[in-house]
Amino acid sequence: MAGKTLYDKVWDAHVVNQQEDGTVLLYIDRHLVHEVTSPQAFEGLKLAGRKPWRLSSMLAVADHNVPTTDRANGISDPVSRLQVETLDANCEAFGVVEFKMNDLRQGIVHVIGPEQGATLPGMTVVCGDSHTSTHGAFGALAFGIGTSEVEHVMATQTLLQKKSRNMLISVDGEVGPGVTAKDIVLAIIGKIGTAGGNGCTLEFGGEAIRALSMEGRMSVCNMAIEAGARAGMIAVDDTTIDYLKGRPFAPSGETWDMAVAAWRELKSDDDAEFDEVVRLDASLIEPQVSWGTSPEMVTSVNGVVPDPAADEYAAKREGFTRALEYMDLQASTPVTDIQLDRVFIGSCTNSRIEDLRAAAAVIKDRKVADTIKQAMVVPGSGLVKKQAEAEGLDKLFVNAGFEWREPGCSMCLAMNADRLEPGERCASTSNRNFEGRQGQGGRTHLVSPAMAAAAAIAGHFVDVRHF
Amino acid sequence: MKSFTQLKGLTVPLMRANVDTDAIIPKQFLKSIKRSGFGVNLFDEWRYKDAGFPGQDPNSREPNPDFVLNEPRYKGAQVLIAGENFGCGSSREHAVWALDDYGFRSVIAPGFADIFNNNSFKSGLLPIVLDKAIVEKLAEECASTEGYQLDIDLEAQTVTTPNGDVYPFEVDEFRKHCLLNGFDDIELTLQQRFRIEEYEAKRRESAPWLFG
Ligand code: SF4
């Protein structure tokens, strides 16, 4: 019999019951909760007179609606405020641990889980948010769920699931200098497409992935969902274990040793068989820039905007044409000629300390271009912000002309006050460039933090490797 | 949960690929803490010419006459024919609630994003996958035939066109069973309470760090 994949191992360890048709009752170890997708679930519990099954599995935080400017006066938008207050009230009523808005530990749910050690290897992790895939970087099986499922997990600690197929994405060899985790994952999505991973759990492997820090691995797994997969995973190694040691929610003492011994097994067996295998040559990956309205519409910074009329794009012609129209771009324009209005460094993809360091390193003593209306840095959590300030990064950003904000989702989806105006063009380190994602009529180009910082200084995209 | 058995409903084609959840229901409407009322903002950015925000009077808005749902002939549509990878993007169930609240009971497409597919079943909206060529054919027929109604039978797993063509579709047995009967998933799961407790007890022994 063939060996097991990492996904097989974590899945098997969580099967409570399997029905004849293959539907599995899967046990959930960690349930992260935020304000947007939980109110209706809490209400469902209340109406049915139920209680959360295991409170210790839950951790809540408000991130989507929180303001990223001064919070002393609370949230001014009444609708946003009500949603955040509803979370506070629900957590209080049910006894759920919550990091409130002005808690230093508050931040984007996918940043704080790992930061607190609340995400551990081998866990099943869910959240009513598609970017829960981020936590797969720890060898956890982590995926987003809808609100009905949020309620189901609250009430039963389980989910009804069917197993996905196994897909290995192996990024072989080494990336060149200046090429980051974000570029790797954008290149992967460019290759397999936004539906490429449908029905699969991805495992990212290969030397280039192994060489990444935990921050980098989280950026890669974060965008598994953009490749159509619900979950992406990376095997546990020393990098994983070193990162977790001493974190508040991580085990300690004897339990730590016991856990580490178990975590060491969390990798695919040598003879495991994947349903699909995709390979990329890391040395060929260049800094990436998305040009369209879907993350698969991406090219190298030294490339040009594609021409939908070209034969090779026949199957995608309609979508490409629509995207270029929305983005107000001409076919064959060099990516480096694209001029920008705003720059956003943040989101659960790229707002960790390493991301901020990478952006700061590019800036050095330079200034944001006059043509840029706004450049902002939104740290992923209060603790990331504090760390960055201790390293003096905030001063570097501010001196260069960036705004230094409070943690939250911010302009990643423009649910709070941070957003693009119609027609504005933004270099963004977030994960989605859908129409209207950063504000109605706004135009998003996805890039790495270093590329975003370089673009802020130049006013247009530049190859950060020669900057 | 609402049940779904059989439906003969007015059908509307929207054949764009990769229609994402941001397009189905823009994020400013996700601030609601209720489950209902999302229908007026379904496809908001395509449906209206002015910018949408929560709490607007829908009658004060300027509809986009070029958007298919605004064509008078499609008023009251219950079946949506859609392009590939429908419902990609976020996990927000609000996308399903918006379709449901608008009046849709089923979406037919060559493929759905995983989470959207899951969410649909939970709210009694039936996602049907048919071959791309068949979906395109249905969309064409629908566009060229006023009052085009598809007949969907979940028990028989068939879609029948007005001229009598029958297309079978696949559906997960368990989900079909739940949808036909309108079962509440949580209630069903809690019938296995003892199994969950048993699993938990064992796991607490072998992996205590998960329960800290
Ligand atoms: S940062 Fe963006 S993608 Fe991440 S959880 Fe917040 S809104 Fe979603």
Side-chain angles (χ1 to χ4, degrees):
Chain A
M1 209 176 82
K4 285 182 173 187
T5 65
L6 169 59
Y7 171 53
D8 295 340
K9 291 183 185 180
V10 181
W11 175 273
D12 289 351
H14 290 85
V15 174
V16 172
N17 183 42
Q18 178 152 357
Q19 298 173 16
E20 263 171 39
D21 72 341
T23 304
V24 158
L25 192 63
L26 196 72
Y27 189 82
I28 302 303
D29 296 313
R30 176 66 68 201
H31 186 189
L32 302 165
V33 174
H34 69 70
E35 80 275 22
V36 183
T37 51
S38 67
Q40 299 86 352
F42 277 116
E43 185 175 79
L45 279 194
K46 254 181 253 166
L47 288 175
R50 296 182 176 124
K51 286 206 162 51
W53 180 283
R54 183 163 69 81
L55 276 173
S56 68
S57 71
M58 296 173 72
L59 177 61
V61 71
D63 53 5
H64 286 62
N65 283 279
V66 298
T68 58
T69 46
D70 185 18
R71 289 180 180 168
N73 299 322
I75 305 174
S76 58
D77 173 355
V79 196
S80 284
R81 190 170 61 229
L82 177 64
Q83 204 166 50
V84 173
E85 284 172 356
T86 304
L87 179 68
D88 292 350
N90 280 326
C91 289
E92 205 143 296
F94 287 99
V96 177
V97 175
E98 183 199 6
F99 296 165
K100 292 229 168 79
M101 189 168 80
N102 290 322
D103 191 313
L104 182 63
R105 299 166 298 176
Q106 181 270 343
I108 305 170
V109 65
H110 309 308
V111 174
I112 67 154
E115 185 173 80
Q116 293 294 324
T119 303
L120 295 173
M123 271 185 164
T124 42
V125 180
V126 297
C127 174
D129 192 285
S130 59
H131 290 104
T132 308
S133 60
T134 312
H135 308 262
F138 290 83
L141 173 59
F143 52 90
I145 54 179
T147 299
S148 297
E149 290 178 312
V150 168
E151 186 181 339
H152 195 278
V153 175
M154 284 177 181
T156 71
Q157 212 58 44
T158 62
L159 277 175
L160 288 160
Q161 293 285 302
K162 278 243 167 126
K163 200 169 173 205
S164 335
R165 292 180 315 128
N166 278 291
M167 183 190 275
L168 174 67
I169 299 189
S170 184
V171 188
D172 305 321
E174 266 180 63
V175 290
V179 177
T180 67
K182 182 67 164 287
D183 302 305
I184 294 177
V185 71
L186 285 172
I188 291 170
I189 297 165
K191 183 174 169 112
I192 71 171
T194 46
N198 274 5
C200 296
T201 291
L202 309 182
E203 179 175 340
F204 298 99
E207 294 93 331
I209 299 290
R210 296 255 65 82
L212 292 174
S213 65
M214 284 320 293
E215 284 88 346
R217 293 179 190 185
M218 285 188 257
S219 300
V220 171
C221 288
N222 177 269
M223 291 192 74
I225 182 77
E226 266 65 57
R230 275 182 100 173
M233 303 175 83
I234 294 177
V236 173
D237 59 13
D238 288 339
T239 307
T240 327
I241 291 166
D242 293 345
Y243 177 96
L244 287 168
K245 196 161 178 125
R247 305 237 165 215
F249 284 64
S252 56
E254 262 175 50
T255 327
W256 167 262
D257 297 335
M258 189 180 170
V260 169
W263 294 343
R264 295 264 177 216
E265 305 297 313
L266 293 171
K267 52 181 194 275
S268 290
D269 295 331
D270 291 337
D271 57 344
E273 276 176 24
F274 288 85
D275 300 298
E276 268 175 80
V277 178
V278 175
R279 289 188 184 281
L280 276 83
D281 179 345
S283 68
L284 301 179
I285 301 177
E286 298 193 278
Q288 304 282 303
V289 179
S290 76
W291 54 265
T293 53
S294 153
E296 69 184 21
M297 297 177 179
V298 66
T299 186
S300 136
V301 63
N302 297 307
V304 296
V305 173
D307 182 356
D311 286 346
E312 58 181 309
Y313 302 127
K316 307 202 151 163
R317 190 157 295 149
E318 221 186 296
F320 274 30
T321 309
R322 230 187 111 75
L324 289 188
E325 203 176 295
Y326 181 85
M327 295 296 288
D328 190 29
L329 287 174
Q330 300 299 320
S332 309
T333 306
V335 168
T336 47
D337 283 359
I338 300 175
Q339 303 285 331
L340 298 153
D341 300 306
R342 295 192 199 232
V343 174
F344 170 64
I345 298 177
S347 89
C348 58
T349 321
N350 284 127
S351 63
R352 298 178 182 82
I353 189 68
E354 189 183 80
D355 300 314
L356 305 192
R357 286 183 192 139
V362 170
I363 294 170
K364 293 182 214 124
D365 297 320
R366 293 179 278 200
K367 300 268 182 238
V368 171
D370 293 341
T371 48
I372 300 283
K373 288 184 208 165
Q374 182 187 39
M376 60 198 274
V377 184
V378 184
S381 72
L383 290 169
V384 169
K385 181 166 184 258
K386 191 174 155 210
Q387 174 66 28
E389 288 172 354
E391 295 176 20
L393 304 184
D394 57 326
K395 294 214 176 54
L396 225 149
F397 283 119
V398 170
N399 289 341
F402 280 86
E403 294 172 25
W404 179 248
R405 297 292 192 95
E406 297 296 324
C409 294
S410 181
M411 213 202 276
C412 172
L413 94 164
M415 234 173 128
N416 68 357
D418 311 334
R419 65 178 62 128
L420 299 181
E421 294 300 322
E424 283 184 343
R425 191 181 292 288
C426 180
S428 175
T429 65
S430 55
N431 44 41
R432 286 192 178 137
N433 51 353
F434 299 154
E435 287 184 20
R437 171 76 177 180
Q438 294 191 287
Q440 196 181 23
R443 301 177 175 126
T444 303
H445 295 274
L446 305 174
V447 287
S448 75
M451 284 286 289
I457 289 160
H460 55 87
F461 289 115
V462 285
D463 187 338
V464 67
R465 295 172 299 179
H466 316 296
F467 189 66
Chain B
M1 186 178 76
K2 233 184 350 196
S3 68
F4 187 111
T5 48
Q6 195 267 345
L7 163 81
K8 187 166 184 185
L10 184 67
T11 305
V12 55
L14 179 68
M15 288 304 287
R16 296 177 192 179
N18 299 313
V19 170
D20 59 78
T21 49
D22 276 309
I24 299 174
I25 182 85
K27 62 252 156 188
Q28 61 271 35
F29 305 110
L30 310 187
K31 296 181 185 182
S32 166
I33 55 171
K34 303 207 189 80
R35 240 175 217 269
S36 56
F38 295 100
V40 284
N41 300 110
L42 175 70
F43 299 123
D44 199 272
E45 289 184 11
W46 295 338
R47 210 163 127 203
Y48 301 100
K49 288 189 144 176
D50 55 337
F53 53 86
Q56 259 162 326
D57 172 8
N59 298 320
S60 70
R61 313 253 339 243
E62 191 189 344
N64 170 9
D66 298 334
F67 185 57
V68 66
L69 284 195
N70 289 331
E71 290 176 36
R73 57 179 282 207
Y74 293 123
K75 197 169 157 47
Q78 291 182 292
V79 180
L80 182 70
I81 306 183
E84 273 167 280
N85 200 26
F86 186 82
C88 62
S90 91
S91 66
R92 60 185 74 149
E93 200 158 316
H94 312 66
V96 173
W97 299 337
L99 286 159
D100 173 73
D101 196 60
Y102 182 89
F104 285 114
R105 300 297 323 278
S106 176
V107 184
I108 301 176
F112 295 91
D114 283 344
I115 306 181
F116 179 88
N117 190 58
N118 241 355
N119 287 342
S120 301
F121 282 98
K122 310 278 173 196
S123 292
L125 179 81
L126 177 64
I128 296 178
V129 178
L130 290 176
D131 267 359
K132 197 174 168 197
I134 298 173
V135 176
E136 281 168 357
K137 183 163 174 277
L138 295 179
E140 275 162 34
E141 286 179 12
C142 179
S144 59
T145 320
E146 189 107 7
Y148 189 86
Q149 294 195 342
L150 286 174
D151 195 337
I152 298 167
D153 187 335
L154 177 57
E155 178 68 60
Q157 296 179 214
T158 53
V159 175
T160 309
T161 68
N163 49 26
D165 297 334
V166 180
Y167 299 103
F169 63 88
E170 298 279 322
V171 58
D172 183 280
E173 262 311 306
F174 179 66
R175 285 182 159 153
K176 172 179 169 180
H177 177 68
C178 290
L179 201 49
L180 281 173
N181 296 289
F183 282 148
D184 171 22
D185 276 359
I186 296 180
E187 207 46 64
L188 281 184
T189 299
L190 286 175
Q191 288 171 10
Q192 306 192 51
R193 173 179 282 277
F194 69 97
R195 287 207 172 102
I196 306 172
E197 282 165 353
E198 221 169 87
Y199 170 92
E200 223 170 30
K202 265 195 231 143
R203 194 77 173 151
R204 247 178 228 280
E205 291 264 301
S206 62
W209 59 88
L210 296 174
F211 296 84

